[in-house]
Amino acid sequence: MEEFVTKYINIDRSNETTASNFNYEPRMNSLKIHLNTQNTSYDTINNQFLSSKKHKKENPYKIYFPIFYKKELNNSYATLIAWIVILTLATAGSCWMITNIITSPVVNNWTILAIIPLYGLAVGLFIFYLVKYLNFKSESRTVNFKDEKVISINISKLYKSLKVGYININWMSLLSYTISLISLFVTCIVCYILYPTSFGDVITPITLHNNYTFAIIFWGCVAVVIATFIIQVCMLLGNYIRYTRIENFYNFAIVNNEEITNLKKKTNRRDALIYFAISFTLILIVLLIIKLFKRNKKTKVVVNA
């Protein structure tokens, strides 16, 4: 009897150990499965976050962009890069000129006053084209041309500016012609005052008296007039192609004719005001320069006598 009880107890203990081992392994396996499941869920969430972040940057409808929209987006980017280069060169040039003016024995304050508005204009145009590019880039991430022909705010603004673009181009070209002709006129008058000859031979002293300043100004103005004409023709042609490309995409009026007519009138008045204001200022400056040269000429004649 005692032997039987001992065997029973040993058997029971062995079974308990076996059972405990058997029950322990499934627990470990279930823990591993749980951890693996957690890791998989974390990876899935991370991938979804990265993919959603990527989708925010890339427009899924980008492949449906019309040709004109792609070209205008690239054009705004190229224009921004060009103005970054121009602003960098203007900054370097302005710093160099101001340093030379300050370190020179005679400080010319008028030169500094002339640099400041020109540099301010370059900064203003850079900011304008930067904002334009950022607006276009932001819109390109959400705009959808797949379902319908969208007319966004940027496209509407662009179309309006292109429709009146030829007015701005012609007025700015006219201003460039006027400035060049005034500069030519001043060069010839000053040269005639310094080197008196018959008025028909005004150009002759520019080359015969070895005064390279007059020669550079004179022929530089001639080059500016020719370059302005070429640029004007190219810009007018490009402006026409750009708004025609937009009109060909849409089968309906983007902006009504009355609004375009009013916009043209406003643009003409604004550009005319700018042109006459600058031209009047230049004429006053020219008269002042001629008067100063005549006074200096009389002073030299009196001293020599």
Side-chain angles (χ1 to χ4, degrees):
M1 185 67 180
E2 184 179 354
E3 182 180 357
F4 173 77
V5 172
T6 304
K7 288 182 179 179
Y8 175 78
I9 293 172
N10 290 334
I11 291 170
D12 185 66
R13 285 179 178 176
S14 64
N15 290 337
E16 183 181 359
T17 304
T18 304
S20 64
N21 291 334
F22 177 79
N23 291 332
Y24 178 71
E25 288 181 1
R27 288 178 185 175
M28 291 296 294
N29 292 333
S30 63
L31 181 61
K32 289 180 181 179
I33 292 170
H34 180 66
L35 290 174
N36 290 333
T37 305
Q38 278 190 329
N39 291 332
T40 305
S41 62
Y42 288 148
D43 291 339
T44 304
I45 293 171
N46 191 25
N47 291 332
Q48 288 177 353
F49 174 75
L50 292 175
S51 62
S52 63
K53 191 175 180 180
K54 185 177 181 182
H55 282 306
K56 286 182 180 179
K57 291 183 178 180
E58 289 291 336
N59 189 345
Y61 302 102
K62 189 175 181 179
I63 58 175
Y64 301 104
F65 283 0
I67 295 175
F68 85 89
Y69 195 84
K70 293 179 181 178
K71 288 185 179 293
E72 293 300 332
L73 184 62
N74 294 332
N75 183 52
S76 64
Y77 178 72
T79 305
L80 177 63
I81 295 299
W83 274 102
I84 290 174
V85 174
I86 292 171
L87 186 61
T88 303
L89 295 175
T91 303
S94 299
C95 292
W96 178 78
M97 292 180 67
I98 291 173
T99 303
N100 286 340
I101 291 168
I102 294 174
T103 55
S104 64
V106 180
V107 178
N108 191 346
N109 295 325
W110 293 103
T111 308
I112 297 177
L113 292 176
I115 292 173
I116 292 174
L118 292 176
Y119 185 75
L121 178 63
V123 173
L125 289 172
F126 167 74
I127 294 173
F128 171 78
Y129 286 111
L130 175 62
V131 172
K132 182 180 178 181
Y133 170 73
L134 292 177
N135 288 337
F136 240 116
K137 188 66 178 178
S138 176
E139 180 187 79
S140 67
R141 293 173 181 170
T142 57
V143 68
N144 177 15
F145 285 95
K146 179 183 177 182
D147 301 326
E148 57 185 4
K149 296 185 176 181
V150 180
I151 302 179
S152 64
I153 296 175
N154 287 323
I155 295 175
S156 179
K157 288 181 178 178
L158 175 65
Y159 182 74
K160 290 177 183 178
S161 65
L162 291 174
K163 287 297 286 185
V164 298
Y166 73 94
I167 299 174
N168 294 323
I169 294 170
N170 289 333
W171 276 108
M172 292 303 105
S173 299
L174 180 61
L175 181 61
S176 178
Y177 294 140
T178 304
I179 294 173
S180 300
L181 292 175
I182 290 175
S183 301
L184 282 173
F185 176 75
V186 172
T187 303
C188 293
I189 293 298
V190 172
C191 186
Y192 177 74
I193 293 171
L194 294 179
Y195 307 106
T197 58
S198 59
F199 195 76
D201 299 329
V202 171
I203 298 178
T204 304
I206 296 175
T207 55
L208 294 181
H209 287 276
N210 296 323
N211 196 322
Y212 296 106
T213 303
F214 287 124
I216 291 172
I217 294 174
F218 182 86
W219 297 112
C221 291
V222 173
V224 168
V225 170
I226 296 173
T228 300
F229 176 75
I230 296 173
I231 293 172
Q232 180 184 8
V233 172
C234 293
M235 290 183 69
L236 288 173
L237 183 61
N239 188 81
Y240 173 77
I241 291 172
R242 288 173 68 187
Y243 78 73
T244 303
R245 191 187 291 132
I246 296 175
E247 288 177 344
N248 290 336
F249 176 76
Y250 295 99
N251 298 324
F252 50 87
I254 302 172
V255 181
N256 59 65
N257 293 328
E258 185 179 355
E259 186 176 356
I260 292 294
T261 302
N262 293 331
L263 189 61
K264 287 180 179 180
K265 291 179 180 178
K266 290 180 181 179
T267 305
N268 262 316
R269 285 196 295 265
R270 182 197 65 199
D271 290 351
L273 180 63
I274 294 172
Y275 170 78
F276 287 113
I278 295 176
S279 298
F280 181 73
T281 305
L282 287 174
I283 290 171
L284 291 178
I285 294 172
V286 166
L287 294 175
L288 179 62
I289 291 173
I290 293 173
K291 188 175 181 179
L292 289 174
F293 268 97
K294 284 183 177 181
R295 181 180 298 176
N296 291 335
K297 184 66 176 177
K298 289 179 181 180
T299 305
K300 288 180 181 180
V301 172
V302 172
V303 171
N304 291 332

